[in-house]
């Protein structure tokens, strides 16, 4: 029948799948060696290991390991079916000992990147019918190989397995690394938690992470005696102050460390007009100019204007003189 099962076409596809599984496994194994070295580099980063990124890479490494393991099992299945092709061709129904093997290949055909499995699935669906194919795809009765089903599952690996891989990689590449976060008993059988960013250093772009650490040790002061930004002035930060604090209903006493406010001395500012040191008169407001000094300044200005007029001043100079005289009279009042 046209389009039906053909042993002459199925057997070569099974043998080609065997070689395809082998090449894919070898390629993944070579890439895993590179991935392990990259994880070791992340764990050896200074001053802070990139542990969270290493855990994500380790999860990918575990998935590749599982895929290779499933490939090895399905490779054996293809070899077995190729050897028993005459038995399969001679019987209408599927042999009982081959139900799991054939169903596993049908189930994995759209879960792995092996093109030959698509043709193998098509041939066995033509041989045993759509119902057999549907039961294999839905794993009715648990006919799929349990190990292949688990290794090709979409479920992520457990946190314990991820940490074990990291420890083995650190040991293999002689990296001195200890996990920052210890696993709790309840975290052993659950997937790895989402990254929180604790392994990401502060100000990683500029490398000025120490500035944020200094900020946490020194209290911020907006202004001191009219000198803005005094908290940003250079100088060593003082040591924290030990202080006892009582809190709670039982009046529990606990010693805490309080960072002191760093207050540098105000710089010496001398008033150039009267020669008075501002440090000695910090509480005194600046006084307004006296009437005598204003009159003397205006008198000098008047004399200068008179000299200019005697030298041939214009009408505009005369109007300027009248304005100055009027202002002087207002100041006298």
């Amino acid at each position: 029948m046209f389009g039906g099962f053909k042993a002459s076409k199925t057997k070569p596809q099974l043998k080609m799948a065997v070689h395809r599984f082998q090449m894919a496994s070898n390629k993944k194994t070579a890439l895993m060696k590179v991935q392990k070295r990259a994880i070791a580099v992340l764990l050896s980063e200074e001053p802070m290991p990139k542990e969270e990124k290493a855990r994500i890479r380790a999860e990918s490494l575990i998935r590749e390991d599982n895929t290779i393991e499933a490939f090895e099992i399905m490779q054996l299945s293809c070899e077995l079916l190729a050897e028993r092709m005459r038995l399969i061709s001679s019987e209408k129904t599927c042999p009982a000992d081959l139900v799991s093997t054939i169903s596993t290949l049908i189930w994995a055909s759209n879960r792995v990147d092996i093109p030959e499995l698509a043709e193998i699935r098509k041939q066995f669906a033509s041989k045993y019918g759509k119902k057999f194919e549907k039961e294999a795809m839905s794993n009715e009765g648990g006919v799929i190989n349990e190990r292949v089903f688990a290794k090709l599952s979409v479920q992520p690996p457990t946190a314990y397995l991820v940490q074990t891989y990291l420890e083995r990689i650190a040991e293999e590449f002689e990296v001195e690394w200890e996990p920052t976060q210890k696993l709790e008993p309840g975290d052993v059988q659950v997937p790895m938690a989402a990254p929180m960013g604790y392994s990401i250093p502060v100000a990683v772009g500029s490398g000025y992470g120490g500035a944020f650490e200094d900020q946490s040790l020194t209290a911020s002061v907006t202004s001191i005696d009219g000198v803005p930004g005094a908290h940003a002035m250079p100088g060593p930060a003082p040591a924290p102050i030990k202080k006892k604090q009582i809190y709670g209903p039982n009046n529990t006493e606990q010693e805490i460390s309080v960072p002191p406010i760093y207050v540098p001395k105000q710089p010496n500012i001398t008033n150039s007009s009267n020669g008075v040191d501002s440090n000695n008169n910090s509480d005194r407001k600046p006084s307004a100019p006296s009437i005598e000094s204003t009159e003397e300044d205006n008198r000098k200005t008047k004399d200068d204007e008179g000299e200019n007029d005697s030298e041939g001043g214009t009408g505009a100079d005369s109007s300027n003189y009248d304005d100055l005289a009027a202002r002087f009279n207002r100041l006298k009042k």
Side-chain angles (χ1 to χ4, degrees):
M1 182 179 176
F2 181 79
F5 177 78
K6 294 181 180 180
S8 59
K9 189 173 183 180
T10 306
K11 188 173 182 178
Q13 291 291 330
L14 289 169
K15 291 186 175 181
M16 290 174 62
V18 171
H19 294 290
R20 184 81 68 177
F21 278 125
Q22 186 64 44
M23 289 189 297
S25 298
N26 294 340
K27 183 178 179 180
K28 288 181 180 296
T29 302
L31 291 176
M32 287 176 65
K33 293 180 180 179
V34 179
Q35 290 177 347
K36 289 194 296 182
R37 188 174 297 277
I39 293 174
V41 172
L42 292 175
L43 295 178
S44 61
E45 287 282 345
E46 294 292 342
M48 182 183 299
K50 296 182 178 179
E51 184 175 322
E52 291 175 299
K53 183 178 289 187
R55 289 182 183 274
I56 298 175
R57 299 285 182 86
E59 186 172 321
S60 175
L61 191 69
I62 294 171
R63 189 170 297 281
E64 294 295 330
D65 233 352
N66 293 340
T67 303
I68 293 175
E69 191 175 333
F71 280 4
E72 296 288 342
I73 297 173
M74 289 188 288
Q75 183 179 353
L76 296 176
S77 300
C78 291
E79 289 183 354
L80 176 63
L81 295 177
E83 291 298 326
R84 296 191 182 182
M85 186 53 58
R86 294 181 63 181
L87 173 65
I88 294 172
S89 301
S90 62
E91 297 186 4
K92 276 189 175 182
T93 60
C94 180
D97 59 335
L98 295 180
V99 172
S100 177
T101 303
I102 296 175
S103 298
T104 300
L105 293 179
I106 293 175
W107 176 82
S109 61
N110 61 350
R111 289 173 170 82
V112 296
D113 190 17
I114 304 297
E116 287 78 12
L117 288 185
E119 182 62 30
I120 293 171
R121 170 185 172 182
K122 182 179 177 182
Q123 289 295 322
F124 283 118
S126 301
K127 175 72 175 175
Y128 302 119
K130 293 293 183 181
K131 182 180 178 182
F132 183 89
E133 181 186 13
K134 183 179 179 181
E135 291 176 353
M137 294 300 296
S138 59
N139 193 22
E140 292 185 12
V143 294
I144 307 301
N145 184 291
E146 294 182 358
R147 197 171 170 186
V148 174
F149 186 81
K151 298 303 178 180
L152 295 182
S153 173
V154 295
Q155 295 298 323
T158 62
Y160 174 78
L161 187 60
V162 172
Q163 183 159 312
T164 303
Y165 263 65
L166 293 180
E167 292 174 354
R168 296 290 181 85
I169 292 173
E171 181 180 356
E172 179 181 351
F173 291 91
E174 299 180 353
V175 177
E176 296 182 1
W177 171 79
E178 291 292 336
T180 305
Q181 293 184 346
K182 302 294 183 181
L183 291 179
E184 300 294 335
D187 299 337
V188 174
Q189 298 300 328
V190 297
M192 179 184 65
M196 302 298 293
Y198 65 87
S199 63
I200 305 300
V202 180
V204 63
S206 62
Y208 295 154
F212 292 88
E213 297 177 2
D214 296 341
Q215 182 183 13
S216 63
L217 296 176
T218 306
S220 177
V221 182
T222 55
S223 63
I224 301 174
D225 291 338
V227 182
H231 62 282
M233 300 181 69
I241 301 174
K242 299 294 183 179
K243 182 179 179 181
K244 292 185 178 180
Q245 183 178 7
I246 298 176
Y247 67 97
N250 298 327
N251 294 330
T252 306
E253 183 175 325
Q254 183 182 10
E255 187 178 68
I256 60 174
S257 298
V258 180
I261 299 177
Y262 177 48
V263 184
K265 293 183 179 180
Q266 182 179 356
N268 294 328
I269 303 175
T270 304
N271 192 340
S272 59
S273 62
N274 52 18
V276 180
D277 191 350
S278 61
N279 288 336
N280 297 331
N281 299 276
S282 57
D283 298 333
R284 185 182 304 170
K285 296 182 179 180
S287 58
S290 61
I291 299 298
E292 291 78 4
S293 60
T294 305
E295 293 178 356
E296 183 179 356
D297 294 338
N298 290 335
R299 190 180 300 111
K300 291 181 179 180
T301 305
K302 182 178 179 181
D303 295 339
D304 294 339
E305 293 294 339
E307 292 178 1
N308 292 335
D309 292 341
S310 63
E311 292 176 359
T314 60
D317 294 338
S318 177
S319 62
N320 291 338
Y321 173 78
D322 294 340
D323 293 340
L324 290 175
R327 268 187 272 174
F328 174 72
N329 293 329
R330 284 197 297 269
L331 288 174
K332 288 177 67 176
K333 294 179 181 180

